[in-house]
Amino acid sequence: MSTLNVVVVSGNLGFPSKTLTLAEQILAEIKLLTPLNSTVYQLADWAAIFGPARHPGELNDEARKVLQTIASADLLIAVSPVYKGSYTGAFKHLVDFIDPNALVGVPVILAATGGGYKHALVIEHQLRPLFAFFGANALPVGIYAAEQDYDGQRFAEPIVLERISAAAQQAVDAAQTRIHSLQTTQKTA
């Protein structure tokens, strides 16, 4: 079993963050399944760097390293809070800097947090098409967690925990299959 390079992009804009909590719960579940190296990027830490930039040439070396790390992921976890039915503008702005070919075939867990269940379709109507543009392998199980699913420290609602578990298993399977396929292709080339 290969050690997975897992990158988390959490669209949280402040602290404390339920969005970051959900991202960390997903990452913890994956750690139970496979060895991994992880990098967590919180938008709250990066918005001031990415926000004013209009094109990649305006990014500093540190921001370009963030994009390289995202592009090198064996598995990406993309989590955003929901505002007015969609991911945040700052989240989309960061994603706009990713090379269109950087995520082809990369398994992506899509997740979102929101004030209520009325936003639950953000995964299907907003996040899934966004990552389809990149040719990423957006996994079938997405995770939406509402305010009422949060117990003050973590998301504890059984259906959210079931979806985290299912998404983690799908992600590990997809990432290991992709790594094996890439290694086989390299050996025959």
Side-chain angles (χ1 to χ4, degrees), residues 37-167:
N37 295 316
S38 63
T39 305
V40 177
Y41 292 116
Q42 303 174 58
L43 199 54
D45 295 334
W46 294 96
I49 294 170
F50 283 97
R54 292 170 292 165
H55 56 78
E58 294 179 347
L59 296 173
N60 64 24
D61 290 342
E62 194 176 19
R64 282 192 284 275
K65 186 173 184 331
V66 169
L67 297 175
Q68 290 169 349
T69 302
I70 292 169
S72 71
D74 295 320
L75 170 61
L76 180 64
I77 301 170
V79 188
S80 179
V82 179
Y83 293 103
K84 298 185 180 175
S86 187
Y87 41 74
T88 66
F91 179 87
K92 175 64 165 69
H93 190 61
L94 181 138
V95 171
D96 284 343
F97 287 108
I98 298 172
D99 182 279
N101 297 311
L103 299 177
V104 173
V106 174
V108 180
I109 294 177
L110 304 175
T113 58
Y117 295 118
K118 66 183 179 181
H119 297 296
L121 287 175
V122 69
I123 291 170
E124 299 307 318
H125 292 269
Q126 302 292 323
L127 288 169
R128 196 168 299 282
L130 176 62
F131 286 93
F133 167 82
F134 289 98
N137 177 11
L139 298 166
V141 173
I143 304 152
Y144 179 80
E147 181 81 28
Q148 53 266 42
D149 300 330
Y150 189 70
D151 71 4
Q153 295 183 338
R154 63 191 293 272
F155 289 96
E157 179 64 31
I159 190 68
V160 174
L161 298 176
E162 288 171 25
R163 294 188 73 77
I164 290 171
S165 180

Side-chain angles (χ1 to χ4, degrees), residues 1-25:
M1 191 177 284
S2 299
T3 299
L4 294 183
N5 176 27
V6 180
V7 177
V8 176
V9 176
S10 176
N12 61 294
L13 299 172
F15 302 103
S17 169
K18 291 179 193 78
T19 302
L20 180 59
T21 298
L22 180 59
E24 290 172 339
Q25 282 184 246

